[in-house]
Amino acid sequence: VIDLGVMVPCDEILKTAVERDCDIIGLSGLITPSLDEMVNVAKEMERRGIEKPLLIGGATTSKQHTAVKISPQYRGSTVHVHDAPRAVNVMAALLDEKQRKPFDEANRTTQERLRYVYVEKRERPLRSYAASLENRLVIDWRPEDLPEPSFTGRRIVDDIPLDEIARYIDWTFFFTAWELKGKYPKILDHPRHGEAARELFENGQELLRKIIDERLLVARGVYGLWPAASDGDDIILYGDEEHREELLRFNMLRQQAALPEGKPNRSLADFIAPVESGLRDHLGAFAVTTGIGAAELAEAYERDHDDYNAIMVKALADRLAEAFAECLHRRARRDWGYGRDEQLSNQELIAEKYRGIRPAFGYPACPDHTEKLDLFELLDAPAVGIRLTESFAMMPAASVSGLYFAHPEARYFTVGRLDRDQVVSYAERKGMDLAEIERWLTPNLGYDPDA
């Protein structure tokens, strides 16, 4: 495997593939803009007459995007694989002369079906942005539902040891990363792959214990609570309880799907008391990492030709980052007052039995990664070792950031498809060029910007 690194130009990828006579080209996308670049690479492969299978993977990618946007640009095999461990069977099929043709035919059939589903979905009507605003979630705002936090402003967190964070790990997703499907702990007794799961779990526990005992990874974070109010689909944060000093605005998006009667078109701004209510509400924010030292540790294993443990380090660092986010959210709920008497088991925490949500920018309820700029400025996240790349990916990779909402009505949801009227309004609110915003919201657009 020839690893060219991150943010590699298209020409370098294809030139290396040809010069080194590679069997397959793989592209990994961590963040939204890479989706467009993958389309560009596929087009260029077609233009240059390169005939090598193209693998598409990474956090922002999907089977649907690969089928709809990338594979039509290239006549060769274009296959979506979510991450490295899941690529093994695909590689085996593509490199085997007997398996290659039936695998490719089945993949093309699946992609054709996904394109059909996509077209059908795009033809479903969307509400106008004005009608969606009119159909917003209506909350009966009461002072007793808006608890007063014990502090406002930001706090650095470097006092939670890794062994405590590890207690919050959701092991189910650890197995998912290795393509072993099933809930923990039941997966350990699975009739077909229980043995493999037990071996993987034992190895993971052994490396985790080494990481904790030898302090090979560092956990650092920052969080805070601020006075807040909503203004349309903006959430305003203030530097004082009297709302005299406006710190910043988080710009939110709203569902535009034509939902059944009685179902609101939600926006995260709906969960914060409106300016005109005169009530004292608050919004929380956080950024955590357990990835400090992870890259160096993984590289040490790679130098020893131990790829298994190199991947294991990254998998464990990711699980610890999510566990840190869970652990810190529990602390924030107590600081906020409404979670002071909370007594939940780890399984109940994993099942989100608590009040409140912590959505992350780039995910379904707030899909725009550019909002991370304001989040990181508010928290001064670089001060604890977390930075943003030019495409708003967080470094170290094992990092989690987002917002805290405390209202009892707060729920996760998917914004879904957006029509042009809302995207135009959103670009104006953010003070950004429409084409730039459309690029960041490509997966959510319910229209063709080029039409």
Side-chain angles (χ1 to χ4, degrees), residues 211-230:
I211 287 170
I212 291 170
D213 290 346
E214 299 180 22
R215 300 182 179 181
L216 299 176
L217 299 181
V218 176
R220 297 200 77 201
V222 58
Y223 76 119
L225 304 167
W226 285 267
S230 64

Side-chain angles (χ1 to χ4, degrees), residues 60 85 126 140 166 244 337 396 402:
T60 58
L126 293 174
D140 179 18
R244 289 188 298 255

